[in-house]
Amino acid sequence: MTTKRCLLHPVTMFYILDCDEPLSPNGEALMEIHNTFRVGGIRLWKSGARHTKPVPEPIEIPFDTFRGYNGPPVELLDLGIPVMSARLAKALTDAGVSNIDFYDATLVHSTTGVRYPYKAYNIIGLVAAADLGKSEWFSDDGTPLINVSFTRLALDESACRDQQLFRLAENVNAIVVSAKLRDYLIAEGFTTLRFKKPEDWVQL
């Protein structure tokens, strides 16, 4: 008798976190958050290091809406001063994520004055988890750290260890989350969060 081995596709254990922004049916932006990098003399939010200077709280960040949009701000914005909704911050904490420092923030509508409770966040620690031998990448200075451009990313999942969430050392714009955390956030109803497979993530 010949035994055939069933070859299964490898299960993706880690994903790149992203978030939908409010867009019109034509793909036009419906809101803009005016967050800069600097607050209280602090401007580095993706270094993986804790802030050594006190962060002035609450951080007030204005935003505008366009084309009649009256919905909530985006759940997560990893630009400038990274911010997320207070409910997302609570969900991450409840899920056991402990390597994020949170700071009270408020998003304030520039016209209506409506205020939304948010959190500025600083993810602590960078993990060098890219499998560069299997990835498609280039770096202007030849150094595979901080801002590597990827057209295809492969992760060395053994390097991810037991982390639930971290920034990728090779490109700090990538927030990597475990499949377990992804499933938890989906179950908690975070419908605008997106979880990209590493091979589908492009950063140029």
Side-chain angles (χ1 to χ4, degrees), residues 141-182:
D141 61 7
T143 303
L145 284 174
I146 306 301
N147 60 353
V148 173
S149 296
F150 287 96
T151 54
R152 181 180 176 85
L153 171 63
L155 289 179
D156 176 3
E157 296 192 348
S158 65
C160 300
R161 300 185 293 276
D162 295 325
Q163 301 263 4
Q164 289 202 75
L165 180 150
F166 61 88
R167 287 195 187 277
L168 188 68
E170 290 84 358
N171 189 308
V172 296
N173 293 310
I175 299 176
V176 183
V177 299
S178 68
K180 180 180 179 181
L181 181 58
R182 179 204 64 165

Side-chain angles (χ1 to χ4, degrees), residues 52-67:
T52 57
K53 297 179 180 179
V55 177
E57 299 178 78
I59 304 169
E60 289 207 353
I61 301 173
F63 73 96
D64 289 301
T65 54
F66 315 112
R67 304 174 180 88

Side-chain angles (χ1 to χ4, degrees), residues 4 13 16 23 25 38 52 59 61 76 79 96 100 114 119-121 123 137 142 154 159 165 178-179 185 191:
K4 293 184 179 180
M13 299 303 295
I16 310 300
L23 298 175
R38 187 182 294 275
T52 57
I59 304 169
I61 301 173
L76 171 77
L79 296 173
I100 306 181
V114 174
K119 294 287 186 180
Y121 65 90
I123 299 172
W137 64 279
L165 180 150
S178 68
L185 293 173
T191 58

